[in-house]
Amino acid sequence: MKSYDGVPQFSVFLKFSLEPVDPICIIHHWSVIIHTELNFSSNDGIIAKIFVYFLEMKIIGNVLLYFLKKNNRIQKLVSFAVLEESPLYIPLHPYEDVNEGEESKWVHSGLSATERVQQTKEYCLQSSDSTSNDKTMTTTTTFHRWTIMDYSRAYTSGNITPHMVAERLVSAIMQSSGPEMDLSFFINYESQDILKQATASTLRYERGEPISVLDGVPIAVKDEIDCMPYPTTGGTKWLHKVRPCKEDACCVERLRSCGAILVGKTNMHELGAGTSGINPHYGTSRNPYDPSRISGGSSSGSAGVVCAGLCPVALGVDGGGSVRMPAALCGVVGLKPSFGRIPHSGVIPWNWTVGMVGILAGTVEDSLIAYAAMSGEAEVHQPTMFSNIPCYNQQPKLYLSMLRPSNQLPCIKLAKSNEWFNDCSDDIRICCLRALDSLNKCYGWETVEVTIPEIEVMRLAHYVTIGSECATSLAHHLEKQDKSESGVDVRVALSVYGAFNSRDYLNAQRIRNRQMKIHEKIFDMADVIVTPTVGITAYEIKDDAKETGELDYINGAALVRYSIAGNFLGLPAVTVPVH
């Protein structure tokens, strides 16, 4: 492992459903569901316990929560804001059916997951064969992240079998989970189930009948998404007891139907309520570049397994940057599709209008293949929480981008808000500015300076929204739960979430409506909005945080600074590494 010095990331919000483009060295990306941003920072376990003790007292707690809301300007900017707009509850966009020409491939809505993956391979991965690595899967001299197509070619050639890969993978998972490494990537995995899936895949290759290029490819799943035969814990010690997992989530079922090997449930920040990935119950998912540092949250384990090369793809859920942030800190690609593009059935329903299943992958190509497999409307027998919304089932046509060689990239216009873009550490800002300059010189991509007003207002409105939805979703369970079963940071978050009222929530949705209109005007001038993904690089894990969690809201605010618009406004967003 090389020493970690931070991998600056670009984050972009697109005005159409995301078709990833690989302009420069592209690797990995994110996970985090918003943390409360209070005006103090503490990693001291005793202080955290004292604070939550007073916060959960009925009278004193109410007083504390009042001042927390006031001091963080929630009352001024959200609760009592004077707004003309009506509430907008669901962030769906008035898409136009635009002919994308030769830059993308239209995928018929009636195709199965395997057919969508096959079309992606045939029409979108034009440079795949010419850029493939000539090494065989048995090469061990240097570290190399194997892509989906690397696995597919090696299996087809007979150089290696899915069963051989599964055996090595199980050994690597056991080693990474052991006391010597203690990377804590997984909450749950079953060796026999992994080997059983791999054996079936091996037999299909021996018969010359692989289902798709995903056949035999290991994919990990965040423990917020149902995947048989595992319980879905949400990073807690209790949620799976009151919400049993009975079948695969729709996104998992589609990957399984393509032959992918589902290798287990990855670790996450408890209830997705933090940016660090520090979990007092299942351990802290550590950054493979430097295990003394965080991998980011809340999809921490998914970012770690991709970064470490255990899987080319892992699933996360992104309600406030929870896929993109860990991806950025671990140097991989993190993709959050447009709202509603991937069915949400089988995902813990605590982020109704801001959360989306996302993809962490080693390359843009791999994120595109996984996206092709999972996207599209849910089947009739798999209703989602949005099924009663008329416009939800009127999705725009699905176009998948052609991943062309760099000398054939189309011209893209980038919108950049200077004040927002520069609100990060110097090393990230310099690297990202240098990348913009390179994109202009190499591909002629133009940067347009824009102003995005009320970013702080949008951040607070998003926080009110995600907090209110989480508190409402869990309310009937939390009444019966012993609070001591949850980490200190989660108890603080839930206390704050529960303090939001109907006025807070309704005004937040009015702010959403205003910001949708603001962003529509920006997208009249440019194709994407570009920012760094995080404001700081991965920070060190404090000793006491391993046991109690953390209340480090200063670093948490810096990590989540650029992620909100994608979730709050339902925009597709992607983070890619730049060097």
Side-chain angles (χ1 to χ4, degrees):
M1 301 277 182
K2 63 181 180 180
S3 62
Y4 180 83
D5 59 359
V7 182
Q9 304 275 314
F10 258 141
S11 184
V12 294
F13 306 108
L14 294 83
K15 60 182 177 182
F16 304 115
S17 75
L18 181 72
E19 325 306 346
V21 179
D22 185 1
I24 47 183
C25 236
I26 288 180
I27 320 177
H28 63 65
H29 142 279
W30 63 307
S31 143
V32 173
I33 296 182
I34 285 298
H35 225 141
T36 49
E37 185 179 339
L38 312 179
N39 289 327
F40 75 94
S41 173
S42 172
N43 279 321
D44 191 306
I46 296 177
I47 294 177
K49 290 179 179 179
I50 293 173
F51 179 70
V52 78
Y53 172 78
F54 284 110
L55 194 62
E56 291 176 347
M57 294 177 68
K58 190 168 185 179
I59 297 177
I60 296 177
N62 287 337
V63 173
L64 283 173
L65 289 168
Y66 172 83
F67 283 105
L68 285 175
K69 288 174 67 176
K70 182 177 180 180
N71 290 342
N72 284 273
R73 298 192 290 173
I74 290 175
Q75 290 182 343
K76 178 180 179 181
L77 300 180
V78 179
S79 306
F80 300 107
V82 178
L83 302 162
E84 297 179 357
E85 291 79 7
S86 59
L88 177 66
Y89 300 104
I90 305 297
L92 291 170
H93 296 264
Y95 292 93
E96 296 180 11
D97 187 10
V98 178
N99 184 358
E100 298 287 341
E102 297 182 356
E103 302 303 331
S104 60
K105 169 65 179 178
W106 172 59
V107 179
H108 192 278
S109 59
L111 296 181
S112 66
T114 53
E115 290 169 331
R116 289 194 297 272
V117 169
Q118 181 62 26
Q119 284 208 355
T120 302
K121 175 180 179 292
E122 291 179 356
Y123 298 107
C124 299
L125 309 185
Q126 296 184 9
S127 61
S128 178
D129 290 330
S130 61
T131 60
S132 64
N133 196 300
D134 291 329
K135 299 177 182 178
T136 68
M137 292 289 287
T138 56
T139 301
T140 58
T141 53
T142 58
F143 176 73
H144 173 71
R145 290 195 188 98
W146 294 96
T147 68
I148 290 171
M149 294 307 300
D150 287 334
Y151 281 101
S152 179
R153 281 187 285 264
Y155 293 156
T156 301
S157 68
N159 288 335
I160 203 167
T161 67
H163 193 273
M164 294 168 65
V165 167
E167 288 180 320
R168 297 178 188 181
L169 177 60
V170 168
S171 176
I173 293 174
M174 293 177 65
Q175 184 179 1
S176 69
S177 304
E180 285 192 18
M181 301 186 74
D182 191 28
L183 295 175
S184 300
F185 292 152
F186 286 88
I187 287 178
N188 212 335
Y189 70 94
E190 290 188 11
S191 302
Q192 291 306 311
D193 182 68
I194 296 171
L195 293 172
K196 179 181 178 181
Q197 294 178 73
T199 298
S201 178
T202 299
L203 292 174
R204 290 193 290 270
Y205 276 100
E206 289 177 352
R207 295 194 302 266
E209 300 173 352
I211 300 174
S212 74
V213 294
L214 283 170
D215 205 337
V217 175
I219 295 180
V221 179
K222 183 182 182 182
D223 207 2
E224 189 178 336
I225 303 170
D226 289 341
C227 178
M228 297 297 289
Y230 307 102
T232 303
T233 72
T236 73
K237 298 294 286 186
W238 58 268
L239 187 59
H240 59 289
K241 300 174 185 177
V242 297
R243 183 193 174 276
C245 174
K246 299 179 180 179
E247 61 182 357
D248 287 338
C250 181
C251 56
V252 170
E253 186 278 328
R254 288 176 175 178
L255 291 171
R256 198 187 295 274
S257 72
C258 293
I261 299 175
L262 286 308
V263 300
K265 305 299 284 294
T266 56
N267 203 352
M268 60 178 287
H269 204 108
E270 185 180 4
L271 291 181
T275 58
S276 67
I278 294 173
N279 187 308
H281 313 302
Y282 302 105
T284 300
S285 293
R286 298 173 178 274
N287 198 305
Y289 283 106
D290 182 348
S292 70
R293 298 176 184 270
I294 64 168
S295 61
S298 61
S299 308
S300 50
S302 291
V305 297
V306 174
C307 177
L310 296 178
C311 300
V313 170
L315 300 189
V317 180
D318 195 308
S322 286
V323 167
R324 291 160 289 162
M325 281 184 279
L329 297 183
C330 292
V332 296
V333 173
L335 167 62
K336 186 203 80 67
S338 304
F339 179 83
R341 273 298 195 178
I342 296 177
H344 215 69
S345 61
V347 181
I348 298 176
W350 53 36
N351 307 138
W352 292 305
T353 70
V354 295
M356 278 295 301
V357 173
I359 300 162
L360 298 104
T363 65
V364 166
E365 177 182 283
D366 284 352
S367 69
L368 176 62
I369 295 172
Y371 175 64
M374 295 188 293
S375 61
E377 299 173 10
E379 302 295 334
V380 176
H381 67 282
Q382 288 182 311
T384 75
M385 64 180 119
F386 312 117
S387 297
N388 61 339
I389 304 169
C391 55
Y392 173 72
N393 289 316
Q394 299 174 6
Q395 287 281 314
K397 291 181 178 180
L398 175 63
Y399 289 92
L400 299 176
S401 287
M402 303 291 188
L403 296 189
R404 300 180 181 279
S406 58
N407 61 353
Q408 298 179 23
L409 290 177
C411 186
I412 293 177
K413 187 173 290 186
L414 311 170
K416 171 173 162 285
S417 172
N418 274 331
E419 183 178 359
W420 191 29
F421 190 100
N422 295 332
D423 191 16
C424 57
S425 62
D426 289 342
D427 54 344
I428 294 176
R429 176 178 54 82
I430 292 169
C431 185
C432 290
L433 287 173
R434 186 166 59 238
L436 283 181
D437 185 59
S438 296
L439 289 172
N440 176 258
K441 291 179 179 177
C442 296
Y443 311 117
W445 290 14
E446 179 186 355
T447 300
V448 179
E449 301 295 340
V450 299
T451 298
I452 305 177
E454 303 179 0
I455 290 177
E456 175 69 2
V457 176
M458 178 170 60
R459 182 190 67 80
L460 292 173
H462 170 272
Y463 183 63
V464 168
T465 301
I466 195 171
S468 299
E469 292 178 358
C470 181
T472 302
S473 173
L474 296 173
H476 61 296
H477 297 314
L478 293 173
E479 287 182 359
K480 306 172 185 178
Q481 295 305 314
D482 181 354
K483 292 180 179 179
S484 65
E485 290 187 344
S486 296
V488 171
D489 59 334
V490 170
R491 291 165 66 181
V492 171
L494 291 174
S495 294
V496 177
Y497 295 168
F500 297 136
N501 56 39
S502 58
R503 180 181 58 214
D504 299 330
Y505 187 79
L506 287 171
N507 272 359
Q509 309 322 300
R510 298 170 77 183
I511 292 168
R512 173 184 267 166
N513 193 353
R514 175 184 292 185
Q515 281 292 331
M516 289 276 268
K517 294 174 182 175
I518 289 171
H519 279 69
E520 285 173 7
K521 291 180 180 178
I522 293 173
F523 287 131
D524 286 338
M525 298 183 288
D527 299 299
V528 304
I529 298 172
V530 61
T531 72
T533 302
V534 290
I536 57 172
T537 53
Y539 56 85
E540 292 187 346
I541 302 165
K542 305 297 183 183
D543 290 338
D544 59 344
K546 301 172 189 176
E547 300 297 328
T548 64
E550 66 173 3
L551 295 178
D552 191 346
Y553 298 121
I554 303 301
N555 280 326
L559 287 175
V560 80
R561 182 164 295 142
Y562 298 104
S563 301
I564 300 307
N567 301 98
F568 195 49
L569 307 180
L571 298 169
V574 62
T575 180
V576 295
V578 294
H579 300 274

